[in-house]
Structures are given as structure tokens and as C-alpha cells.
Amino acid sequence: MLPWWASRMAGALAWSVSFVAAFFVVQYTLSFGRAKAEAWLIAFLTSFLMDMFLLQPVKLMAAAVGVVLIFRKPMNDDELPPAETTEDEEYLDILPKHLPPEDVVTELPGDAVLAEDRARRLRKKKVRGAVKEILLYGMFVCVLMLTSYGERSSLAFHMNKAVSGYVVGGSEGTAFSLISDVTSFWQWVDTTLIPATHSPAWYNRQTSNHSLHLPDHMTHLIAPLRFRQVRTRQEQHCTVPDAMANVSARCLDGYSVTNADTSNYNGSWDAPIKPNLTFTDDNSTAASPWHFKYGKIADGFAYIGKHGAYNTGGYVATLNWTFNGSMEMSTDLRTKNWLDEKTRAVFVEMVLYNPHANLFSVVVMVTEFSITGSVSMTTEMTTFTLHHRDKVTLLVLRVAMALFVIYYLIEAVMNFGTRPLEYLTEAWTWLEIFIIFSATTTLGLYFRAQGVMDDIAGHRHEDHVFESYHKAAMWHQLYTYLLSFLICCSLIKLVRLLRFNNHVNSLMYTIKKTVKPLFNFLIIASIIITAFALVANLTLGLNLKEYSTLLASYENLFGMMLGKFSFGKLEEGSAFFGPALFVFFQCTVQFFLLTMFMSIIMDVYAESREVTNPDQIEIMQFLKDEAAEAVSKLRSFAKKQKDCRPDLEKKPQVTLQGQIQDAMEEIQEQTAIEEVKEQRRPRERRIHFIGNDEAFILK
């Protein structure tokens, strides 16, 4: 009575239940140890065998007896089974009163009827396939959404805002954005950073047991603050022109990986340690802030700043656990000029944890010192959850997602095997391939990140706290970025599956037909916008930071198109060229380019409304027809079950004795009827004529 795919779903469900159970068994037993695992295995096998051969059979028999005694109905005399027949008796079947006539002949339908019926069946098959594909893919998108948003916390924003307010904003001291040189950097460290991360007392002036936490006493630091400096080498390749030799005798190059300083020093940048052949790059030598520490690719991404790309290595200085110790360390570094003119970037790194929200936050605050003396500050916060409270739910969603990926992978392989050239030439095929690839990679990244997080939770890297948490943040960021692309592509494919809708079909038709004219239009528009960007960079770049580079000029011009601009800054950059640039750019873009852009789209869209949708499917009508057909089938099935009862229940069972008794009753009834008729018949007059051997009787 169930469809064919019910067995597949039952098998998949049974496999998933077994897989989840086996996964948890393996996961928990691996953490027991050998002795405890062997004891657990013996207890498990003993309990399993006892349940299988002793307890479960007894419980099954007891449950069966109880169900029979409670739910079985007593047998009535009318429901007694028929008596067994003797050797000279047999049951006689009574034929139905109305038999179908044998001479009824069904005429074959004509070609027109067959063609119409065939077309109707093809439409139903097409609609059924479309509905099945939409429902299945909709389930995949739902699983993907629940997976991606189920592990995120809405409190992450509030945690970032609190950290930014105390550390970056400088609510109790100098703000991070006001750093302009090395002196202001140390001032921010002493007045804002260290007091904000070492709050010794509560609001009622009671001392706290843990000194490394923010002033709200909600967010704690996992380890003391760490400074990481990136420097250039002592030897420089730049030269000062002879005409300016009397002004300065030396110059400094910009930072790059090739001229980064990797030497070790002895308490001062003027006292380098001579290279020793027996010297090894050990992490123990990195305890000093004057020793270079090499970074690993696995510890995190290379940071791309405004003035260069910086690796994970550098000169590392770690502050103290206490407020006084951190202040002494900061004073010592400032006194010995740990930051000087060769410093190109300083990374302030901290790892925060809020136990109330169960959130970790890896904060990296970067201060870049350029060769022109300007300072650029950026802050990067990665907030995520390491310990999930609902691991079972997320694991079930991951397993469901893996099953969907396997299903779509098998479907793609089958399509490629049946029609390889046609399958690969379709544009949507590559989107499906990217979805399958990204979903598989996302699952791999998730388990990789989970492995790193399990290592952190097990305190296996106590000496390398920042490296461990930076590695976890890196894998979490990779997983998040790839998951966002996967969700975007999945929703695009979902829109494509809804192409039977007239509005969606019009949208796809418009996109398809406007590709060529829009491409030609964008070439002309890019030339015009590039001309304005060059003018803005040349005329305003010397006075305004927003137009100092060509890329920044592009960004601000596009922002001006969207209505985000400051007319006062344009006048500040140039009293004449600023307003003139604004007027000409707005007139050109708003009145000409955007109008032409919308005209191209609207013309094709109006044309699409007149085009018949080849994939138009009346889903609602199909669902109504299917529901009516299902109800009709249920009624006919119930009627068939009622008419097709067993013969012993449907037909009267007659023995020879009963048949004789029925015959005698019928004879007696016929005799009584004849007697009644005889009594009602009128008397007859009989006249006898005798003569010539003939007798006549007249009535």
C-alpha cells in the first residue's frame, strides 16, 4: 500500500539511526582509556546478550498476553465460525444475482482520444516531477538554513559592541582611532587598553578573583594581551638623492615579505645577536620580545593591510596577568624603544570568552605605520561558539545534509553518464556542480574546525593559546565564507526551479535577453565612470583621503550614485572642481546612464510578458486534481475491500440438511398459497349430456 520510495526512506532512516548511535559510541569510548573501555565493552556485551536472550523475549510474551487480554473482544454466537462439514456435505457457493452480460463489447478509443490522453499523462508526469524536485530541493535548502543559522548566536553582535566600546572606543581613555604616532600608541595602551582588560574591582569596590576581564565583569580574557611587531631590515635599498643629502643621509623602504626583519636582538635594536650555526628556531627563544618568531600557515591567514601584507610571524611581547605587571612590561618596552621608525605594523591580539553567552571572540587590532608617517588602524573581531549545547541536533542536520549531497552527486553522475555533452554544455549544470563541491567542502571544513576546537577544549595547546585560537578562528572564517556562497548559489537554483511561475519566467527571460545589450552598455558606462574617477583622483586626491587612490575614487563615486556623499568635503578638496565634478557626474549618471539602463531592462521585460512560458505549469490545479484523484482512489479502495470480503463472510453457507429444510418450507408455502387460491375460485356449473356415446360438460 506504500509507494516504492518508502522502502528507500526506511532504509536511509535505519542507516542514519545506526550511524548516529555508532558515532556517539565511538566518540565517547575513545575518551575512556583502555581499562575503562574494556570494562565498558564487557558490561555492554553482557547487558546486550541478557536483553536479547532473556529479558526481551519474556517482556515480548508478557506484552502480547496483556494486549490480547485487554483489547480482544469476546466472541458472540452470531460470529461463530461455520461448522465443519462431514464427508457427505459440502458448501455451495451462491452465484450473484446480477452477472455482467457476456455480450458487452468495449470499443477501442480513436487516435484523437489516445493522443489527448497521452498528452495529459505527459503533463501530469512533468508536473509530478517538478513538484517532487521542488519539494526535495526545498528540504535541502531548509536543512542548509537550519544548519547555518542554528550554530550562530544573536548575542555575538552585542559582545562585539561591548568589546569595541571598552577597548576600541576608549570609553575610559584615549580612543584607538586617535592614534597618530608611536607616542599616542603607548598612551592608548596605558590609558585605555590595559585598564580595560585588567578590571580589579567590582562596581561595589569588592576585589575580583580574576583580574583579566573587561569592566562589565562579563567577558574574560583567556590569556594576557600579546603585541606582535613586524619590522623592516636594517639594510635598505633606497638611496637619497645627492641634492638632498644635506637634509637626510638615509631612507627607509616600504614593507614587503622580502625585506622583513627576521634577526634576533639582545635587548635593543642596536645589539643584534650574531648568527650561530647551532641556533634553532625554538619557541622558547620567542619568549623575549627581541627574538623573532616564525609563523606557520596553519596558524592563520596573512593579514592584508593598507600598506602591505603581513605574515603571522614577528617579534612577540606578551603582557602580564596582573595590572601592575602589564604596566611594567609596557613601560619597559616604551623605554627601550621597542617601536621605532622601522616598525611597520603592530598587532594587538586578545582572546575573550563570555561564559553567559558561551561565545569566544578573537580580537586583532592592527596599527600600521607607513613610511610617510601616517598611521592606519583597523580592528577585526571573530566571534563564534566553540562548545555547542545542542550537538545532537547539529549532528543530525549534518548527516541529513550529507545524505542530500550524496543524492545530488549520484544524480549528477547519472546525468553525465546518460548525456555527457548536453549535460556539460548547460549553464545551470556548473552551478549544480559548484553546489555539490562547495557542500562537500563545507562539511569537510566543519569537521576540520571541530577537530581544532576539540583540541582547544582538551587544553592540548596550553603554551600556544593565541596560535590555537587563531587557527580555530581561521577555520571558522573559511567555513563561514564557503557556507555563505553555498547558501547564495542554492537560493539561485531554487529560483530557477520555480521557472514555471510567470513572474520568475519573465525575470529569467529578461536576464537572458539583456546580457548582450547590457554588456555593451556597461563598456560605455565604465569608460565614462573611469574618466570621472581619474578627474576626481587628480583634482581632489591631494587634499581628500577618500580620493587619494584610484580605487578609493571608484568607491566614493559609486557611493555618490547611491546618494552617499558629503558636499562639504568636496568643497574642502577644491572650491571649484569639487562642486563642478559633483554636478556633471550626477547629471551624467542619474539622467543618462541610469535612464538608459532602466530602458533596456523595461523594454525586454515588456516583451517577456507577451512570450508564452513553455514551462508554465498550473501547480494549484494539479494539486487539486491529485487530491480529488486520491480521494476517489480511497473511496474505490474502501468499496473494493467491502465487496471483496472472504466468501465465508460474503456468501451464505448452505449444507444439504439446510437445503432440504428450505425446500420443504418452500413446498409448504406453495401448498398454502394453492389452498388459498382454491378457496377464492367461484363454483362451476356442470351439465352432463349423454347421448350417442358422447358426453359434454358445460360450465
Side-chain angles (χ1 to χ4, degrees):
M1 295 174 59
L2 296 177
W4 64 270
W5 47 265
S7 60
R8 307 295 192 276
M9 292 188 63
L13 182 61
W15 180 86
S16 60
V17 170
S18 303
F19 174 78
V20 172
F23 176 80
F24 279 104
V25 168
V26 173
Q27 183 181 17
Y28 286 105
T29 52
L30 288 178
S31 61
F32 288 165
R34 181 180 179 85
K36 193 173 181 180
E38 290 179 353
W40 177 86
L41 182 60
I42 294 173
F44 171 76
L45 292 177
T46 304
S47 176
F48 176 74
L49 295 176
M50 184 177 294
D51 284 346
M52 176 178 289
F53 296 105
L54 182 61
L55 297 179
Q56 294 299 332
V58 174
K59 290 168 61 178
L60 182 61
M61 294 298 296
V65 172
V67 169
V68 170
L69 293 177
I70 294 174
F71 295 101
R72 186 174 181 180
K73 296 181 180 179
M75 186 177 296
N76 300 328
D77 295 339
D78 298 337
E79 299 177 355
L80 292 175
E84 297 182 359
T85 58
T86 58
E87 296 180 356
D88 58 345
E89 294 179 344
E90 64 178 355
Y91 289 113
L92 300 179
D93 295 336
I94 300 178
L95 298 176
K97 297 181 180 181
H98 302 285
L99 293 177
E102 298 180 357
D103 56 348
V104 176
V105 179
T106 304
E107 296 182 359
L108 295 176
D111 295 339
V113 178
L114 289 176
E116 183 180 357
D117 185 68
R118 188 180 297 109
R120 183 169 59 254
R121 296 295 299 177
L122 289 176
R123 285 196 302 270
K124 291 183 64 176
K125 183 178 180 180
K126 182 179 179 181
V127 174
R128 189 177 291 108
V131 172
K132 177 184 175 182
E133 185 179 9
I134 292 172
L135 292 178
L136 189 63
Y137 195 78
M139 293 174 60
F140 169 70
V141 173
C142 291
V143 169
L144 184 60
M145 293 291 184
L146 292 175
T147 303
S148 59
Y149 292 101
E151 59 188 8
R152 275 157 181 70
S153 175
S154 59
L155 301 176
F157 166 77
H158 301 284
M159 182 174 178
N160 285 358
K161 186 176 181 180
V163 174
S164 178
Y166 287 115
V167 180
V168 181
S171 57
E172 299 181 0
T174 305
F176 180 66
S177 59
L178 298 179
I179 296 176
S180 58
D181 51 12
V182 175
T183 303
S184 59
F185 174 83
W186 289 117
Q187 183 180 1
W188 168 75
V189 170
D190 294 338
T191 60
T192 301
L193 181 62
I194 295 179
T197 55
H198 297 74
S199 298
W202 290 82
Y203 56 90
N204 54 3
R205 298 182 180 180
Q206 293 184 1
T207 59
S208 176
N209 296 328
H210 195 283
S211 61
L212 288 180
H213 51 70
L214 298 185
D216 58 0
H217 293 271
M218 294 288 183
T219 306
H220 302 261
L221 272 73
I222 303 295
L225 295 172
R226 188 176 81 164
F227 296 158
R228 180 166 58 89
Q229 179 187 177
V230 178
R231 298 173 54 84
T232 58
R233 291 179 182 177
Q234 296 283 357
E235 300 83 7
Q236 300 297 327
H237 300 285
C238 66
T239 57
V240 178
D242 296 336
M244 303 302 298
N246 59 342
V247 177
S248 177
R250 63 190 184 95
C251 61
L252 298 175
D253 281 340
Y255 176 81
S256 65
V257 179
T258 58
N259 66 351
D261 191 1
T262 59
S263 302
N264 295 319
Y265 298 88
N266 188 12
S268 174
W269 302 122
D270 297 330
I273 298 177
K274 295 181 179 180
N276 190 356
L277 297 177
T278 62
F279 175 78
T280 58
D281 182 35
D282 189 10
N283 287 329
S284 62
T285 62
S288 173
W290 308 96
H291 291 171
F292 185 82
K293 180 179 180 180
Y294 289 90
K296 299 179 182 179
I297 299 177
D299 293 340
F301 296 114
Y303 179 81
I304 300 177
K306 295 183 178 180
H307 303 289
Y310 311 98
N311 294 328
T312 55
Y315 297 91
V316 178
T318 304
L319 301 187
N320 204 281
W321 288 91
T322 62
F323 176 81
N324 294 330
S326 297
M327 291 297 294
E328 291 177 1
M329 185 69 180
S330 173
T331 303
D332 182 69
L333 293 175
R334 183 175 66 255
T335 304
K336 295 181 179 180
N337 292 326
W338 191 65
L339 301 180
D340 57 3
E341 69 276 2
K342 296 183 178 64
T343 302
R344 289 294 167 262
V346 180
F347 295 81
V348 180
E349 301 170 336
M350 65 184 77
V351 180
L352 306 172
Y353 174 64
N354 191 319
H356 310 282
N358 191 27
L359 291 174
F360 288 84
S361 182
V362 178
V363 182
V364 179
M365 308 174 67
V366 186
T367 304
E368 294 182 80
F369 299 93
S370 67
I371 57 178
T372 60
S374 63
V375 180
S376 301
M377 292 77 63
T378 54
T379 304
E380 181 180 355
M381 297 184 186
T382 305
T383 303
F384 54 93
T385 304
L386 285 180
H387 312 291
H388 297 283
R389 297 188 179 95
D390 51 350
K391 283 187 176 181
V392 178
T393 305
L394 292 176
L395 182 61
V396 171
L397 292 174
R398 302 288 177 191
V399 172
M401 183 177 173
L403 294 177
F404 276 112
V405 172
I406 293 173
Y407 170 78
Y408 286 115
L409 179 61
I410 295 175
E411 186 180 19
V413 172
M414 293 178 62
N415 291 331
F416 177 76
T418 54
R419 46 187 185 93
L421 295 178
E422 182 182 357
Y423 182 71
L424 293 178
T425 52
E426 294 179 357
W428 293 101
T429 298
W430 296 101
L431 180 63
E432 296 176 359
I433 294 175
F434 177 78
I435 290 174
I436 296 173
F437 173 76
S438 58
T440 307
T441 310
T442 300
L443 291 174
L445 287 176
Y446 169 77
F447 288 109
R448 173 57 182 161
Q450 197 64 35
V452 175
M453 294 173 186
D454 292 340
D455 291 344
I456 295 174
H459 303 285
R460 301 178 187 176
H461 301 283
E462 295 180 355
D463 298 333
H464 310 284
V465 176
F466 288 98
E467 289 79 1
S468 301
Y469 281 93
H470 276 294
K471 186 185 300 183
M474 178 192 70
W475 288 110
H476 183 269
Q477 285 179 330
L478 275 176
Y479 167 72
T480 303
Y481 296 153
L482 191 58
L483 187 62
S484 62
F485 282 110
L486 176 60
I487 293 175
C488 179
C489 296
S490 301
L491 292 177
I492 292 175
K493 183 181 177 182
L494 183 62
V495 173
R496 188 245 176 183
L497 293 179
L498 300 175
R499 61 188 180 276
F500 57 83
N501 185 272
N502 286 330
H503 297 285
V504 178
N505 179 73
S506 299
L507 174 63
M508 297 180 65
Y509 180 87
T510 303
I511 294 175
K512 182 178 180 181
K513 292 296 183 181
T514 55
V515 170
K516 185 176 180 179
L518 284 181
F519 178 76
N520 298 329
F521 168 77
L522 289 177
I523 293 177
I524 304 301
S526 62
I527 295 174
I528 296 175
I529 295 177
T530 301
F532 279 101
L534 292 173
V535 171
N537 178 251
L538 292 175
T539 57
L540 306 176
L542 295 177
N543 300 325
L544 296 179
K545 181 181 179 181
E546 292 80 3
Y547 300 93
S548 59
T549 62
L550 187 61
L551 180 61
S553 300
Y554 275 114
E555 294 177 356
N556 283 274
L557 288 179
F558 280 111
M560 191 182 297
M561 290 173 56
L562 300 176
K564 182 182 179 181
F565 63 94
S566 175
F567 190 78
K569 285 188 175 182
L570 294 176
E571 288 183 327
E572 181 182 351
S574 176
F576 174 76
F577 288 106
L581 175 67
F582 170 76
V583 172
F584 282 106
F585 181 77
Q586 289 291 346
C587 293
T588 304
V589 172
Q590 299 292 342
F591 298 130
F592 294 101
L593 295 183
L594 291 182
T595 304
M596 293 176 61
F597 179 78
M598 294 303 300
S599 299
I600 295 173
I601 293 179
M602 294 306 297
D603 290 342
V604 179
Y605 182 77
E607 179 184 349
S608 67
R609 304 298 295 177
E610 301 176 358
V611 177
T612 304
N613 184 7
D615 297 325
Q616 184 178 2
I617 301 173
E618 297 294 339
I619 294 293
M620 297 304 298
Q621 186 64 33
F622 168 75
L623 294 177
K624 291 180 181 179
D625 296 341
E626 287 293 319
E629 185 177 356
V631 172
S632 177
K633 287 183 178 180
L634 289 175
R635 290 179 178 177
S636 62
F637 178 76
K639 184 178 181 182
K640 184 178 179 181
Q641 291 293 326
K642 183 178 180 180
D643 295 339
C644 297
R645 291 178 300 178
D647 294 339
L648 297 179
E649 297 180 3
K650 176 183 176 182
K651 304 173 184 178
Q653 300 157 352
V654 183
T655 59
L656 182 59
Q657 182 179 0
Q659 194 174 16
I660 295 174
Q661 184 177 358
D662 293 340
M664 292 179 64
E665 292 178 357
E666 187 176 356
I667 292 173
Q668 292 177 0
E669 184 178 356
Q670 291 293 334
T671 304
I673 292 174
E674 290 294 336
E675 290 179 357
V676 173
K677 290 182 179 180
E678 188 67 27
Q679 291 177 2
R680 293 179 179 178
R681 184 180 302 169
R683 294 185 176 182
E684 300 176 351
R685 296 180 180 179
R686 300 172 182 269
I687 303 175
H688 299 270
F689 295 92
I690 301 174
N692 296 329
D693 298 332
E694 294 182 359
F696 299 92
I697 301 176
L698 301 177
K699 296 182 181 180

